[in-house]
Amino acid sequence: MKIALVTCASLPEWECDDQPLVDYVSRIADVRSVAWDQPVDWAMFDAAVIRTTWDYTRRIEEYLAWVDTTSKQTKMYNSASWIHWNANKMYLRSLENRGIPIAPSYFLDASFDVEKELLSILRKERWEKAFLKPVIGAGAEKTLRFRPSELPKAQQFLTDVLPSSSMILQPYLSSVETRGEVSLIYFDSQFSHAVQKVPVSGDYRVQDDFGASDAPINASEGMLSLAKRVIEQLKPIPLYSRIDLLFDDERGWLLNEVELIEPSLFFRHAPHAPKLLVDAIIKRLEYK
């Protein structure tokens, strides 16, 4: 069995979270780490498992074209249909329409009147702080936390980014600074483990690129209940899923994002997890 763990050419040298997965797969299969844009005969692999293609948001059209082409040559996980769906955070609206709680969200595109409409929304919502993030983005890129009193800064930010990137406007959930963001990891529909990611003091970015810390936690019933509801909406079930949650003082746990493309799966915090993923891959390949 030949497995490609798909990465990017620009992967930082310090990234080692997938090493336990590589070590486990190499015991039972011929495994290679291959950059997605590297010239290669993908048909030589029984499966291409996307892992660390971290540059995809900056080359989204090229990346999605590669996904479509490569998925015709080998089994791709997650599937091309899931990658297309998950690449644009508009999926949050569809999940909200199916009863999944998310933070109140306004989806802004290039037609948004920055001067008039942003002020109108802030006056209506009376948020203490607001947050902007792109519909296509990862790693906290193109994000902004701001107070209504900083309206000119937010307006300039949107003026700069909206021509090329649609955005989401939400209330800023300050609990991220203390509770952090919680990630629940699933292989097929089986819960594997949970991780809490806490930013450095005063920050909101939960990625370790920005000094945030992460540690395994025991998921509460509230976390598991919401994550299960999300997983039940994902049909057919993806090979791997990471359900990211934030806590709201009024509404409890909310879905922040569903990660189906290239999320860290925090294998370093879960020694059992590589086997769960590999078993799920083998099961799928045997069924095909």
Side-chain angles (χ1 to χ4, degrees):
M1 182 168 60
K2 293 185 177 181
I3 302 293
L5 299 180
V6 189
T7 183
C8 61
S10 58
L11 190 70
E13 292 183 2
W14 49 260
E15 171 51 37
C16 60
D17 187 65
D18 273 3
Q19 193 58 50
L21 175 63
V22 174
D23 293 343
Y24 186 85
V25 177
S26 63
R27 300 178 196 169
I28 58 176
D30 178 3
V31 60
R32 285 179 55 187
S33 292
V34 186
W36 67 271
D37 56 354
Q38 176 180 331
V40 64
D41 178 12
W42 293 98
M44 77 171 72
F45 298 105
D46 295 292
V49 182
I50 295 177
R51 290 305 309 121
T52 49
T53 57
W54 289 354
D55 58 353
Y56 86 93
T57 60
R58 295 184 291 276
R59 303 166 61 185
I60 187 64
E61 292 183 2
E62 182 183 356
Y63 184 76
L64 293 178
W66 169 81
V67 166
D68 290 339
T69 299
T70 304
S71 64
K72 297 174 183 176
Q73 301 174 47
T74 187
K75 302 300 180 185
M76 177 175 285
Y77 303 109
N78 280 316
S79 68
S81 59
W82 276 130
I83 293 169
H84 277 271
W85 180 85
N86 197 225
N88 189 309
K89 293 181 180 63
M90 286 294 293
Y91 69 78
L92 290 169
R93 174 176 284 172
S94 67
L95 289 175
E96 182 183 32
N97 290 339
R98 284 180 267 168
I100 301 299
I102 67 172
S105 299
Y106 291 83
F107 294 85
L108 319 179
D109 59 23
S111 67
F112 183 74
D113 188 328
V114 174
E115 293 298 321
K116 295 181 180 179
E117 294 184 79
L118 182 58
L119 176 60
S120 176
I121 292 172
L122 295 178
R123 283 177 171 170
K124 173 186 174 183
E125 297 293 351
R126 299 182 181 275
W127 295 330
E128 182 178 344
K129 293 180 184 177
F131 190 69
L132 287 162
K133 64 182 180 181
V135 297
I136 299 177
E141 62 185 359
K142 294 183 181 178
T143 58
L144 179 69
R145 169 184 59 184
F146 67 98
R147 296 179 180 275
S149 60
E150 299 174 300
L151 178 64
K153 180 173 74 172
Q155 289 173 326
Q156 185 60 57
F157 177 83
L158 284 175
T159 298
D160 292 341
V161 301
L162 276 180
S164 60
S165 177
S166 295
M167 303 292 290
I168 305 175
L169 173 65
Q170 299 175 320
Y172 175 72
L173 301 181
S174 59
S175 66
V176 70
E177 298 178 24
T178 52
R179 288 177 177 258
E181 180 182 72
V182 173
S183 294
L184 287 81
I185 290 89
Y186 289 77
F187 301 118
D188 280 339
S189 58
Q190 181 179 355
F191 172 67
S192 173
H193 56 287
V195 173
Q196 181 184 37
K197 303 167 292 181
V198 180
V200 299
S201 179
D203 204 343
Y204 62 86
R205 295 170 296 183
V206 296
Q207 295 79 13
D208 51 11
D209 313 44
F210 304 106
S213 60
D214 50 73
I217 62 167
N218 293 320
S220 69
E221 286 301 317
M223 299 173 194
L224 289 168
S225 176
L226 176 54
K228 180 182 179 182
R229 289 169 58 192
V230 176
I231 291 293
E232 289 173 345
Q233 296 297 324
L234 306 180
K235 304 293 183 182
I237 292 181
L239 174 67
Y240 55 87
S241 310
R242 198 183 82 191
I243 310 302
D244 292 343
L245 308 179
L246 291 175
F247 190 80
D248 178 69
D249 292 334
E250 295 183 5
R251 300 175 63 195
W253 290 104
L254 304 176
L255 175 66
N256 189 37
E257 293 186 13
V258 176
E259 296 279 4
L260 303 180
I261 301 179
E262 38 59 89
S264 171
L265 296 175
F266 298 102
F267 290 108
R268 63 184 180 273
H269 294 317
H272 65 277
K275 183 179 187 304
L276 288 180
L277 177 56
V278 173
D279 286 352
I281 294 171
I282 293 173
K283 181 179 178 181
R284 288 178 179 233
L285 292 179
E286 289 177 345
Y287 282 174
K288 297 299 183 182

